Amino acid sequence: MKVLVINCGSSSLKYQLIDSVTEAAVASGICERVGIDGRFTYKPGDGEKIITDVEMKDHSAAIQCVLDALIHESYGVIKSLQEIGAVGHRVVHGGEKFASSVVITDEVVKAIEECNELAPLHNPANLIGIDACKKALSEVPMVAVFDTAFHQTMTEEAYMYGLPVKYYEEYKIRRYGFHGTSHSFVSKRLVEVAGLDLNDSKVIVCHLGNGSSVSAVKNGKSVDTSMGLTPLEGLIMGTRSGDLDPAIIEFIAKKEDKTISEVMNVLNKESGVYGMSNRLSSDFRDLDKASNEGDVYAKRAVKVFSYHVAKYIGSYVAAMNGVDAIAFTAGVGENDHVVRAQTISYLGYLGIQLNPENNKARGKEIMISTPDSKVKAYIIPTNEELAIARETVALV
Ligand code: ADP
C-alpha cells in the first residue's frame, strides 16, 4: 500500500508518499507560502528536486498540487490516485483524549478541535490539512498520529506542575510532551540495536533538532519528557529558551516595557542558541564554525546547550533508577559530533566512554560509545514520516 503522510502547518504542507512494503519514500516535498503566493517543491524517489512557483490560494489547492504531481505523466510516481491506500496526518496536540493514533471520523475531528486551545498555532492548521484531504480523497481512510500520544503513559509524578490544582482540573494545564512519534520510533529502534529486552529496558532519547526534547522510556513506555504544556519547556533550543525562572518574564516585561505576548515572543523566537550567540544563528553548523573561529558567544551557546542535555539525562537516570542505552537523534543529534562529545563528557559516572572515531559519523545508525562502556550510546536516525506511515497502515 502507498501511504500519503501529511504534516500541515499554517502556511505550509509537507508531504511524503511512502510504500508500506519497502518503507521507502516514493515521493516527498513541501508546499510553502500557502495562501500567500505559493512555492511547490516535489522530489520523486531518487529523482531531482523540482521547485516551481504555483498559486496556492488555500490548503485544498496545495493538496491538489501534490496529487497532480504524484500522477503527472512525466515525473509522477503512481498511475492513479487509487494507489493511495491511506493518509496519515501528523497532529500536534491530542491532549488527554488521545493516547494513541486513531482513524479519523467526524467525532475525532471534533475531539481534535477541542484540543485547539492547547496548541493554537498548530492544531487548527493540522485540521485544515485533514479537511483538505477529505475533500480531495473522500474514499481514502485517514489516520491522525499525535505528537503528544506516546507521552500519555507518564504518571502524575511526571506530568503534574506545582500549581494550584484547579489549573489542571479546569484548564488541563499539565506536562504533555511532544516529538512523541520520534521518541517512540527511536526508542524502539534503540532497544533493538542495543540488544535489550523491551520489557526490561531503560533508555533515554535525545531528540536534538531545531526544537529539542529528551525522553525517558522504560519498558517501551514514556515515563518522562522535557517539553511540557507547550514545546517551550525543557532544553535550550534553536530559538526557544527552554527552562527558566518564571520570574524572568515579569522582570523583562518591566525593564523593557513589554507585554506578556511580547516577552513570550522573545522566549520563543529570539532566545535559545540563536539569542545566546548574539543572534549569530540558530543553526549548529554556523555555531560550530564560529566557535572554531574563536567566537566566544557561539562557543558558550553550544557548551550550555550540551550541559543542559547532560543534566536532563542525569535526571532521567534518577527517574528510571538506571539506564541501559542512550540515543542521539534529529538534525543536531544525528549530525553534530561536538554536541554529542560534550554531552557524553559529563556521563563518565554512568560508565560511558566516547569512541571518538565513531562519533565522527553523521546521520547513520552507529554506536558512539566504546564497546566496553557500561551504558551504550548510539546515533539512531529518526524518521517521523515513516513512523506515521507505519501507524497508519496498522490502523487501516
Ligand atoms: P526540526 O526541529 O526543524 O525538525 P531538524 O531535526 O531537522 O529540526 O534539525 C535541524 C537542525 O539540525 C539545524 O537547524 C541544525 O542546527 C542542525 N544540523 C543539521 N545538519 C547539521 C550538521 N551537519 N552539523 C550540525 N548541525 C546540523
Side-chain angles (χ1 to χ4, degrees):
M1 184 202 295
K2 306 266 191 320
V3 182
L4 182 61
V5 175
I6 298 286
N7 181 354
C8 197
S10 57
S11 68
S12 70
L13 185 150
K14 280 193 214 156
Y15 63 92
Q16 256 189 38
L17 186 69
I18 294 179
D19 184 318
S20 67
V21 179
T22 63
E23 299 205 320
V26 184
S28 60
I30 182 167
C31 305
E32 292 168 286
R33 302 178 61 81
V34 179
I36 306 166
D37 38 23
R39 201 166 95 117
F40 181 59
T41 305
Y42 172 80
K43 187 178 172 303
D46 306 325
E48 289 287 304
K49 224 187 232 176
I50 303 168
I51 303 176
T52 41
D53 290 329
V54 186
E55 202 194 328
M56 296 177 208
K57 65 176 181 10
D58 54 22
H59 287 80
S60 291
I63 287 285
Q64 202 49 55
C65 215
V66 174
L67 299 179
D68 290 346
L70 293 175
I71 55 168
H72 193 274
E73 291 196 318
S74 52
Y75 50 77
V77 289
I78 49 176
K79 293 216 160 47
S80 92
L81 296 180
Q82 310 274 317
E83 288 183 48
I84 302 176
V87 182
H89 289 271
R90 174 190 183 210
V91 178
V92 168
H93 220 304
E96 288 185 328
K97 291 180 204 293
F98 297 103
S100 59
S101 307
V102 282
V103 173
I104 299 175
T105 60
D106 291 346
E107 288 76 55
V108 167
V109 168
K110 237 174 101 204
I112 297 173
E113 267 164 14
E114 283 162 17
C115 301
N116 277 3
E117 71 171 2
L118 293 170
L121 295 178
H122 295 100
N123 270 31
N126 302 152
L127 283 164
I128 289 171
I130 291 173
D131 192 51
C133 284
K134 215 159 80 184
K135 284 181 187 141
L137 298 162
S138 56
E139 302 302 315
V140 181
M142 300 203 288
V143 168
V145 181
F146 301 90
D147 267 26
T148 49
F150 181 60
H151 301 301
Q152 278 296 301
T153 46
M154 283 189 291
T155 56
E156 54 192 18
E157 294 93 314
Y159 72 66
M160 286 302 287
Y161 288 119
L163 289 170
V165 71
K166 75 166 200 174
Y167 294 142
Y168 171 61
E169 289 177 351
E170 290 179 24
Y171 311 137
K172 294 282 171 231
I173 294 179
R174 51 161 280 181
R175 171 182 312 287
Y176 290 96
F178 297 87
H179 293 139
T181 320
S182 176
H183 286 294
S184 166
F185 181 88
V186 173
S187 60
K188 283 189 184 72
R189 185 66 197 146
L190 176 59
V191 165
E192 282 170 15
V193 172
L196 302 170
D197 169 4
L198 179 68
N199 297 316
D200 184 21
S201 61
K202 296 169 180 173
V203 301
I204 294 175
V205 175
C206 307
H207 176 111
L208 313 176
N210 234 330
S212 296
S213 65
V214 188
S215 68
V217 183
K218 190 173 173 184
N219 305 338
K221 295 196 166 70
S222 172
V223 294
D224 208 342
T225 190
S226 57
M227 283 179 168
L229 173 74
T230 76
L232 182 56
E233 194 185 346
L235 295 176
I236 292 172
M237 311 186 203
T239 63
R240 292 183 210 137
S241 64
D243 297 335
L244 30 89
D245 178 346
I248 292 171
I249 296 173
E250 187 191 27
F251 195 93
I252 298 174
K254 281 191 176 153
K255 281 275 182 207
E256 303 214 327
D257 195 21
K258 282 184 159 57
T259 62
I260 290 191
S261 307
E262 286 167 342
V263 179
M264 293 316 291
N265 197 53
V266 172
L267 301 189
N268 273 301
K269 303 210 170 123
E270 294 175 33
S271 300
V273 290
Y274 169 75
M276 292 188 72
S277 65
N278 207 15
R279 297 168 168 265
L280 176 76
S281 178
S282 60
D283 191 311
F284 279 72
R285 284 165 286 204
D286 301 331
L287 298 174
D288 290 337
K289 183 164 175 280
S291 303
N292 286 336
E293 290 163 359
D295 185 308
V296 290
Y297 291 131
K299 192 166 185 175
R300 183 168 64 191
V302 176
K303 260 169 48 183
V304 178
F305 176 87
S306 307
Y307 176 73
H308 279 240
V309 179
K311 275 214 305 192
Y312 263 101
I313 291 173
S315 67
Y316 290 163
V317 173
M320 296 191 289
N321 190 21
V323 63
D324 301 315
I326 297 175
F328 291 84
T329 194
V332 179
E334 291 169 30
N335 294 301
D336 196 308
H337 64 93
V338 178
V339 165
R340 291 191 302 252
Q342 285 181 356
T343 304
I344 288 176
S345 74
Y346 293 102
L347 305 180
Y349 71 99
L350 291 173
I352 304 186
Q353 289 302 323
L354 185 74
N355 176 337
E357 199 48 44
N358 285 12
N359 189 43
K360 288 181 190 156
R362 280 188 39 206
K364 68 168 187 188
E365 201 172 276
I366 190 167
M367 184 162 80
I368 55 169
S369 55
T370 55
D372 57 351
S373 288
K374 196 165 147 256
V375 173
K376 307 282 192 295
Y378 294 82
I379 300 173
I380 307 274
T382 191
N383 189 339
E384 287 171 281
E385 289 77 13
L386 176 58
I388 292 173
R390 283 183 185 166
E391 291 273 312
T392 303
V393 172
L395 282 171
V396 304

